[in-house]
Amino acid sequence: MKTLISGGTRGIGRATALDCAARGWPVALNYRGNAAAADATLAAIREAGGTAHAFAADVADPAQVARLFDQAEAALGGLDAVVVNAGIVEQVMPLAEMTPERLDRIVRVNLTAALYQAREAARRLPDGGTIVFVSSAAARLGSPGKYVDYAATKGGVDTLTIGLAKELAPRRIRVNGVRPGIIDTQIHADGGEPDRVAELGPTLPLGRAGTAAEVAAAITWLMSDAASYVSGAILDVAGGR
Ligand code: NAP
């Protein structure tokens, strides 16, 4: 399955890329600017015998998203699957303290960009293709005092998942989402909480944070034929949270 993964070079996206490659699926990986991480992920996949390409693009820019899909299709000879994964948080704070610029950035990168990617996927995927959106448990928890802006965008992603699943069902394109809980990646440092995984892990129902590989396993299962009758589903991968 020829797969495009946005934000596919670090964290959950990287783990998903490795999982795809292990299944023999060629991948096109997108990232924003960290070329060293992209190179490292490409090298890991190629050393394991997989096929991978990486393309820099800001998914919040519709022209760059269109170019990214062009590049991915050219590199892989078409696309069968898209994982809409790129996402950001910013410094934790109450909503009252957030600037309009920050709110605009969070909405553009997490929600508008998901719509841009979904639009290209809807235009280009063949009948029988598949899309997985990476949402967040924040969509149902709301993240009060930390990042309600981020949580609200992920609520939008969940609604997009439900609507697009119905819209594309006549073409047998399955559309699903995953809602990770607290997963051990660098995103928490970006929110000013580098110790979030260590501090909150023991308080979670399963007694620990999750790994990117555990989320990737859910994503690739949803993409796979094993989930052939699953569409419009949003799978919590949150350790019971
Ligand atoms: P991460 O480790 O910070 O990796 C983020 C990836 O997204 C990087 O490849 C980054 O590229 C890319 N990216 C960021 N902004 C982009 C943009 N504007 N255009 C293109 N690429 C962009 O993040 P993660 O923790 O794996 O998170 C992945 C997804 O899971 C996100 O949607 C996040 O909201 C969601 N999630 C994460 C957690 C968690 O606890 N980690 C929990 C729930 C949901 P560069 O390397 O070039 O910066």
Side-chain angles (χ1 to χ4, degrees):
M1 189 159 8
K2 298 162 188 164
T3 302
L4 170 62
I5 306 171
S6 68
T9 54
R10 291 197 285 122
I12 291 168
R14 173 189 159 102
T16 304
L18 292 169
D19 210 343
C20 288
R23 289 170 178 261
W25 300 344
V27 289
L29 310 179
N30 152 258
Y31 63 103
R32 180 181 44 194
N34 188 336
D39 288 344
T41 300
L42 286 182
I45 291 171
R46 289 171 179 166
E47 274 162 26
T51 299
H53 307 269
F55 303 104
D58 181 354
V59 290
D61 177 335
Q64 292 188 43
V65 172
R67 190 186 66 201
L68 168 66
F69 274 72
D70 285 345
Q71 290 170 319
E73 285 181 327
L76 301 183
L79 279 177
D80 304 307
V82 177
V83 181
V84 179
N85 168 73
I88 56 166
V89 298
E90 294 205 17
Q91 196 69 31
V92 293
M93 64 180 72
L95 178 63
E97 294 175 16
M98 295 178 191
T99 64
E101 292 74 21
R102 170 206 169 121
L103 296 177
D104 183 50
R105 236 180 352 261
I106 289 288
V107 172
R108 278 193 299 113
V109 176
N110 292 327
L111 180 55
T112 312
L115 288 160
Y116 292 150
Q117 293 168 75
R119 185 180 78 134
E120 293 297 338
R123 288 176 168 181
R124 301 177 192 236
L125 284 181
D127 291 0
T130 190
I131 302 170
V132 177
F133 290 98
V134 180
S135 172
S136 172
R140 54 183 172 73
L141 298 171
S143 307
K146 298 228 162 180
Y147 29 66
V148 293
D149 54 345
Y150 169 84
T153 63
K154 293 299 190 179
V157 168
D158 285 359
T159 303
L160 170 59
T161 303
I162 293 164
L164 197 62
K166 291 173 181 163
E167 191 167 304
L168 298 183
R171 291 170 49 200
R172 293 179 292 102
I173 295 177
R174 296 184 302 104
V175 181
N176 293 291
V178 295
R179 273 193 301 233
I182 297 177
I183 308 301
D184 190 2
T185 74
Q186 288 174 13
I187 204 170
H188 308 292
D190 295 338
E193 296 186 300
D195 301 326
R196 188 159 192 248
V197 164
E199 285 171 1
L200 289 186
T203 72
L204 299 173
L206 278 183
R208 64 174 178 85
T211 66
E214 288 173 312
V215 181
I219 293 169
T220 52
W221 177 76
L222 284 167
M223 294 165 64
S224 75
D225 288 343
S228 55
Y229 200 56
V230 182
S231 194
I234 301 170
L235 181 55
D236 287 307
V237 188
R241 190 173 184 223

